[in-house]
Amino acid sequence: MDGLFDFIVSKYNYWGYVVLMMIGMYAMIVKKNLVKKIIGMNIFQTAIILFYVSIGAKRDATLPIIAHGHGDAHHAVHAVDYMNPLPHVLMLTAIVVAVATLGVALALTIKIYKQYNTLEEDEINARLRGR
Amino acid sequence: MPLIAAFVATIAGWVNKKYCFAVAALGLTGALTSSVGLLSYVLTHGPVQYRLGGWAPPFGIAYQIDPLNALILVVIAAVALLNLLGTQRSVALEFSEKIGAFYTLYLLFVVGMLGIVSTGDAFNLFVLLEIASITGYALIGMGRDRAPLATLNYIFMGTIGASFYLLGVGYLYLITGSLNMADIAAILPQIYASKVVLFAFIFCMAGLFMKMAFFPVHGWLPNAYAYAPSAAAGLIAPLTTKVMVYAMVRIALFVFKPEFTFEQMGIGEPLVWAAVAAIVMGSLLALAQRQLKKMLAYVIVAEVGYMVGGFWLGNRAGISGAVLHIVNDAAMTLVVFMAAGNLFYRLKGDSFGALKGVFREMPVSMAAFVVGALSIIGVPPTCGFFSKWYLISGAIEAGHYGFVAALLFSSLVNAVLFFRIIEIGYFEPFTHANHHGHHQPPVRRFREVPMSMLVPLLVAAGSLILLGVFSGDLVTKVIHLALPGQIT
């Protein structure tokens, strides 16, 4: 299992994603505007996407396309020379999921705006309590 | 199968709205028959594996069916089909112009649920989780009144939950280099001491707890379910939380081995106490509600506490009870939500005030509701009693008397809750809010909902009693086969 960690030379990518996650979480908890909350949610998801992308990357590695791989496979393939493509492929799916969530959330905000004429959470709550 | 039907339903929606329902019903009937067939096949022949695209695991995505998830598949398909048949009228009433969209989302939701249950791939589980969740958001968001706002809260919580789960899977992938559940389970025992595994476990569980509305993070559930359109509530309320509990069982027992989950982690005890808190708080909050659907939603919060607590007791009786309760609770919740949907269809409201004298008006729906209520309380011939019995005997075996007390307490509170409704519906005379003193004698005619809404409800209510009668067989022949042998 050590081999899997060898290519993680420094850990700055992890710090990056943790910070982004916390920014997103902060926005979702603290902000009163619903659109800002949704953007916070999106930042949160993006942080995790970045985390996955970064675990697939390697220093001095190239795209995982094996040139001249078939017909004349006389040379050995060094796995070290290639990045791990799987996390990236997984993240294509996760990006689609994130986009879909964002779309549903924004569609709902349009509906909420039509209903209450505002997107500030405290104003909506005040109105709900008033009724 | 429902996936194909979902596409056909969309197209049919463009052609003619009448076809959507037929296509959806056909698709779900197909799903039900095939899952029943699968269950009987699995019970006689052992687990089945289906490889997507013909790639062998661990590289390809495999769908793995064993007795545990075959059972849950049958439950999901049956609940979805009954609810679909029972709510045809109210769907037509509530979304006259969006029927095509509604049935498409409905089927996609069922696809997501079936997929979560049958998949053998940790990342695939996330994707299907999100398919089910996003269609669930859309279905709830179609409701009126405060539904969009409640849905938005659900989206926030659900997304954080799913992201946590994804992060946990990321850690697992980082340390094992595999996404296939069986493969991970084979690699993990050598590295249980690693902190990465620990955090992967914590993140997966935290994410799933959020999705299943386990007590401290249940905030999204009551409003989302109370304001959802009745047809959607009858689908989502029985399935979402139960399938999430199933996912927890799957991850905790089959990805991480039981000895890791229960012995090495040492979080069983605190989680059972959290479940105790969930049961007590869910019951108390339900007691405070004046609205039928909201009350039922808080009852679900308590029921999630039953299942999580029973599972984390970590002994055979407790886990069997939890799995049996997944099945039973799906059926009970279906019955009470469908009955509530019928009441809503006729009365146009579900505050307790609107329910006065409702027995005279809709005796059959209320009778079904009473059966569901008795089952939730845990009265013997119905299935609720048996799963509670297993849970309590598991708790006594584990020496966890707090959990026993919480279960009994919640049964008492449920009895109070439901008898209050029965009392309002049966004994309180219906009076018009007439301020001029001319009290009209109550004119309440027999106004039962149409037959097409009644029959599925009665079938569901009958299934509660059948499940109760045959629960012994269910436990010994299916659930005991499904659990790994190490659990004693």
Side-chain angles (χ1 to χ4, degrees):
Chain A
M1 282 304 111
D2 289 338
L4 212 56
F5 286 116
D6 277 347
F7 61 84
I8 306 170
V9 181
S10 55
K11 300 218 177 339
Y12 63 89
N13 49 348
Y14 297 118
W15 288 111
Y17 102 81
V18 169
V19 168
L20 271 178
M21 242 174 103
M22 289 305 116
I23 292 174
M25 189 82 119
Y26 172 84
M28 287 170 82
I29 294 170
V30 174
K31 294 290 176 196
K32 291 280 181 249
N33 188 304
L34 290 177
V35 174
K36 283 186 185 165
K37 276 180 183 261
I38 291 171
I39 299 301
M41 177 182 87
N42 214 34
I43 294 174
F44 189 89
Q45 289 176 313
T46 313
I48 291 170
I49 293 173
L50 285 179
F51 161 70
Y52 265 82
V53 168
S54 70
I55 63 177
K58 282 187 228 180
R59 199 158 291 236
D60 301 326
T62 179
L63 299 177
I65 299 169
I66 301 173
H68 321 294
H70 284 289
D72 46 6
H74 296 301
H75 53 89
V77 175
H78 297 289
V80 183
D81 294 339
Y82 299 100
M83 290 194 282
N84 183 356
L86 185 67
H88 301 180
V89 178
L90 296 181
M91 281 311 105
L92 283 179
T93 322
I95 289 169
V96 174
V97 168
V99 169
T101 320
L102 185 65
V104 175
L106 288 175
L108 279 168
T109 43
I110 294 173
K111 218 175 162 184
I112 290 173
Y113 186 76
K114 278 187 187 152
Q115 209 171 353
Y116 301 103
N117 268 321
T118 176
L119 283 178
E120 301 296 323
E121 204 182 22
D122 36 4
E123 286 177 28
I124 295 175
N125 282 341
R127 202 166 304 182
L128 284 176
R129 238 171 274 128
R131 277 203 304 194
Chain B
M1 182 75 183
L3 184 60
I4 304 165
F7 290 125
V8 181
T10 325
I11 299 164
W14 291 331
V15 183
N16 187 338
K17 288 194 180 97
K18 280 179 199 153
Y19 296 144
C20 295
F21 174 76
V23 170
L26 211 65
L28 287 177
T29 314
L32 180 60
T33 41
S34 59
S35 54
V36 169
L38 204 57
L39 176 63
S40 61
Y41 182 85
V42 165
L43 285 181
T44 46
H45 294 82
V48 184
Q49 198 181 47
Y50 173 72
R51 295 167 180 179
L52 285 187
W55 293 79
F59 304 108
I61 295 170
Y63 277 32
Q64 185 101 30
I65 313 284
D66 58 16
L68 176 62
N69 52 17
L71 175 68
I72 312 265
L73 283 179
V74 174
V75 173
I76 293 176
V79 166
L81 181 63
L82 279 176
N83 186 53
L84 181 84
L85 296 177
T87 55
Q88 189 191 4
R89 294 293 186 95
S90 78
V91 170
L93 181 79
E94 285 181 49
F95 334 83
S96 44
E97 76 278 26
K98 291 188 203 152
I99 286 183
F102 178 83
Y103 281 123
T104 311
L105 286 171
Y106 192 102
L107 289 170
L108 280 175
F109 179 83
V110 179
V111 171
M113 284 298 164
L114 292 173
I116 292 173
V117 173
S118 51
T119 188
D121 184 277
F123 184 77
N124 206 238
L125 196 149
F126 163 76
V127 175
L128 291 160
L129 189 70
E130 283 303 79
I131 290 177
S133 306
I134 291 173
T135 48
Y137 305 148
L139 282 175
I140 294 176
M142 280 172 142
R144 279 186 298 256
D145 202 14
R146 282 171 65 179
L149 202 60
T151 316
L152 206 60
N153 280 332
Y154 181 18
I155 292 188
F156 289 142
M157 294 298 278
T159 307
I160 295 182
S163 301
F164 274 157
Y165 176 76
L166 183 59
L167 199 57
V169 172
Y171 282 141
L172 275 182
Y173 176 71
L174 197 63
I175 193 96
T176 60
S178 172
L179 288 168
N180 183 279
M181 287 182 186
D183 201 34
I184 294 176
I187 296 173
L188 274 181
Q190 301 141 23
I191 45 171
Y192 273 155
S194 161
K195 284 219 164 56
V196 181
V197 179
L198 178 70
F199 276 96
F201 186 78
I202 291 173
F203 275 122
C204 283
M205 286 301 134
L208 291 175
F209 283 152
M210 278 188 159
K211 283 273 186 191
M212 73 174 77
F214 190 47
F215 166 60
V217 282
H218 68 282
W220 56 267
L221 186 140
N223 275 337
Y225 286 1
Y227 294 106
S230 6
L235 175 71
I236 297 172
L239 293 183
T240 311
T241 50
K242 272 44 118 191
V243 170
M244 288 308 123
V245 173
Y246 160 80
M248 176 189 79
V249 174
R250 167 78 35 186
I251 300 283
L253 288 188
F254 295 91
V255 175
F256 299 89
K257 295 276 181 211
E259 53 264 43
F260 175 76
T261 306
F262 294 124
E263 284 157 30
Q264 226 160 323
M265 286 295 290
I267 55 172
E269 183 79 13
L271 277 176
V272 175
W273 280 111
V276 169
I279 295 170
V280 172
M281 290 310 290
S283 306
L284 288 180
L285 287 168
L287 206 52
Q289 301 306 316
R290 307 292 306 162
Q291 228 188 332
L292 182 60
K293 275 194 200 167
K294 216 165 189 177
M295 185 197 96
L296 294 176
Y298 276 108
V299 171
I300 294 182
V301 173
E303 300 282 330
V304 170
Y306 287 12
M307 288 178 271
V308 175
F311 176 75
W312 287 99
L313 287 171
N315 56 29
R316 204 167 186 90
I319 296 176
S320 313
V323 175
L324 183 63
H325 204 68
I326 293 179
V327 178
N328 292 347
D329 196 36
M332 309 187 305
T333 322
L334 175 72
V335 171
V336 288
F337 268 87
M338 273 173 79
N342 283 1
L343 296 180
F344 195 80
Y345 179 78
R346 269 290 179 254
L347 305 176
K348 306 283 182 275
D350 66 339
S351 64
F352 287 174
L355 296 178
K356 284 180 183 166
V358 75
F359 263 95
R360 186 156 303 162
E361 205 174 339
M362 307 168 64
V364 187
S365 295
M366 282 310 280
F369 183 82
V370 170
V371 173
L374 289 178
S375 179
I376 290 180
I377 297 167
V379 178
T382 53
C383 61
F385 170 76
F386 294 96
S387 46
K388 234 172 227 182
W389 178 258
Y390 277 102
L391 288 174
I392 289 180
S393 59
I396 292 174
E397 203 177 299
H400 206 296
Y401 292 99
F403 192 56
V404 179
L407 284 171
L408 295 177
F409 172 75
S410 136
S411 300
L412 284 178
V413 173
N414 283 344
V416 174
L417 282 175
F418 286 112
F419 280 114
R420 189 169 61 171
I421 290 182
I422 293 168
E423 190 216 327
I424 293 172
Y426 199 76
F427 295 113
E428 279 194 33
F430 175 77
T431 45
H432 280 290
N434 194 341
H435 297 292
H436 303 291
H438 301 292
H439 275 294
Q440 300 283 338
V443 190
R444 291 233 116 172
R445 287 182 318 277
F446 182 79
R447 273 205 306 163
E448 190 53 88
V449 287
M451 225 35 192
S452 67
M453 295 176 80
L454 272 185
V455 173
L457 178 62
L458 289 178
V459 171
S463 78
L464 288 182
I465 296 172
L466 279 182
L467 273 175
V469 173
F470 292 108
S471 66
D473 284 348
L474 198 62
V475 170
T476 47
K477 288 192 186 141
V478 183
I479 296 174
H480 281 177
L481 268 179
L483 299 176
Q486 301 98 314
I487 301 166
T488 47

